[in-house]
Amino acid sequence: DVQLQASGGGLVQPGGSLRLSCAAPGVTLDSYNIAWFRQAPGKEREWVSCINRSDGRTYYPNSVKGRFTISRDNNKDLAFLQMADLKLEDTAVYYCAADKGALCKVVITPDLDLDIRKEEYDSWGRGTLVTVSS
């Protein structure tokens, strides 16, 4: 998988918003599904969003559904994560990653949440820190 670089993080108060960007110079991103992950201190990597290559359909786990929006601009070879109503528990380093399959590798969990096959997104490049604090 290609390595993508995330940017746009920073310090934001609870309830605030941030937009993260994802890019890889020289890579045609419309050939890939794009996923966002995050990792908080002492925690495992957590999936937060994915957008299909083929039809642009988007997927979110319950933890961020209704607050985060993933999008892509294939003409600019960029992907984005718009985050709203940020909470303290959103504090993490955020990464983007890609796979070249037809669809995001999303699965349904036993508690009827969504998750993703993380093993398919092993290469996630440089992350960007989002700190939510009052």
Side-chain angles (χ1 to χ4, degrees), residues 53-67:
R53 165 183 60 84
S54 57
D55 59 6
R57 184 180 295 273
T58 59
Y59 305 90
Y60 309 89
N62 290 334
S63 60
V64 305
K65 185 187 298 183
R67 300 188 298 119

Side-chain angles (χ1 to χ4, degrees), residues 24-85:
V27 177
T28 303
L29 288 187
D30 64 1
S31 297
Y32 298 88
N33 309 305
I34 305 296
W36 285 92
F37 300 83
R38 65 187 182 188
Q39 189 164 28
K43 304 294 184 180
E44 297 181 351
R45 184 169 62 141
E46 177 189 12
W47 168 72
V48 296
S49 190
C50 194
I51 184 167
N52 282 347
R53 165 183 60 84
S54 57
D55 59 6
R57 184 180 295 273
T58 59
Y59 305 90
Y60 309 89
N62 290 334
S63 60
V64 305
K65 185 187 298 183
R67 300 188 298 119
F68 290 12
T69 303
I70 188 172
S71 62
R72 64 195 306 163
D73 184 344
N74 290 332
N75 292 328
K76 302 292 185 181
D77 289 329
L78 294 173
F80 306 96
L81 184 67
Q82 179 68 47
M83 304 181 294
D85 192 24

Side-chain angles (χ1 to χ4, degrees), residues 16 84 112:
L112 303 183

Side-chain angles (χ1 to χ4, degrees), residues 8 10-20 38 64 66-69 81-91 94 130-134:
L11 176 64
V12 62
Q13 293 184 341
S17 300
L18 281 175
R19 189 183 77 158
L20 307 182
R38 65 187 182 188
V64 305
R67 300 188 298 119
F68 290 12
T69 303
L81 184 67
Q82 179 68 47
M83 304 181 294
D85 192 24
L86 284 163
K87 305 178 183 300
L88 297 179
E89 54 265 37
D90 294 320
T91 295
Y94 284 72
V130 173
T131 302
V132 184
S133 177
S134 60

Side-chain angles (χ1 to χ4, degrees), residues 1-4 22 24 27-37 45 47 49-54 57 59 70 72 74 79 95-107 115-124:
D1 294 343
V2 299
Q3 286 195 345
L4 307 180
C22 176
V27 177
T28 303
L29 288 187
D30 64 1
S31 297
Y32 298 88
N33 309 305
I34 305 296
W36 285 92
F37 300 83
R45 184 169 62 141
W47 168 72
S49 190
C50 194
I51 184 167
N52 282 347
R53 165 183 60 84
S54 57
R57 184 180 295 273
Y59 305 90
I70 188 172
R72 64 195 306 163
N74 290 332
Y95 304 85
C96 52
D99 79 89
K100 212 169 182 178
L103 304 170
C104 293
K105 297 173 175 60
V106 174
V107 298
D115 205 346
I116 205 163
R117 295 176 183 172
K118 297 181 179 64
E119 68 273 11
E120 301 292 335
Y121 302 87
D122 288 335
S123 183
W124 19 294

